[in-house]
């Protein structure tokens, strides 16, 4: 049986708070906060974040672009074979 994921799922699986919103992250497509998802709190400094979360632009570290679900990926990225996507483990 498959889980209903964001954006179809509108409530956090653990605490039942609202998922998503403008700029609000969704964790694993099921949870509203890192605590609900069983994760450590996220880094606020890109230089200290794990390598999978950051990219170097203009000689400094910046966070990679994040999407809350695969359905939010723009079509031009989804169709481009040179672009790889993965669920962030952080």
């Amino acid at each position: 049986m498959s889980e209903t994921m964001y954006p179809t799922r509108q409530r956090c699986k653990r605490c039942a708070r609202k998922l998503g919103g403008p700029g609000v992250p969704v964790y694993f497509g099921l949870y509203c906060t890192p605590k609900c998802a069983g994760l450590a709190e996220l880094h606020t400094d890109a230089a200290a974040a794990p390598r999978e979360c950051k990219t170097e632009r203009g000689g400094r570290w910046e966070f990679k672009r994040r999407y809350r679900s695969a359905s939010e990926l723009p079509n031009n990225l989804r169709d481009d074979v040179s672009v790889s996507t993965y669920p962030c483990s952080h």
Side-chain angles (χ1 to χ4, degrees):
M1 185 171 132
S2 70
E3 232 11 287
T4 302
M5 308 291 262
Y6 181 84
T8 304
R9 176 184 287 276
Q10 294 295 304
R11 300 255 172 223
C12 176
K13 184 176 179 181
R14 175 167 268 165
C15 71
R17 278 187 263 168
K18 183 180 185 293
L19 282 180
V24 178
V26 175
Y27 302 90
F28 305 125
L30 300 169
Y31 305 102
C32 64
T33 64
K35 183 178 178 182
C36 283
L39 300 171
E41 285 298 317
L42 301 179
H43 289 278
T44 55
D45 178 24
R51 180 65 182 100
E52 68 182 6
C53 301
K54 62 187 179 183
T55 187
E56 193 170 1
R57 288 191 192 113
R60 57 184 242 257
W61 290 109
E62 293 183 19
F63 285 106
K64 289 182 178 178
R65 289 181 182 89
R66 300 177 201 174
Y67 298 96
R68 295 173 290 191
S69 70
S71 64
E72 284 189 342
L73 288 170
N75 287 335
N76 61 333
L77 290 179
R78 198 176 302 138
D79 298 337
D80 187 350
V81 294
S82 69
V83 173
S84 60
T85 60
Y86 55 89
C88 185
S89 64
H90 178 259

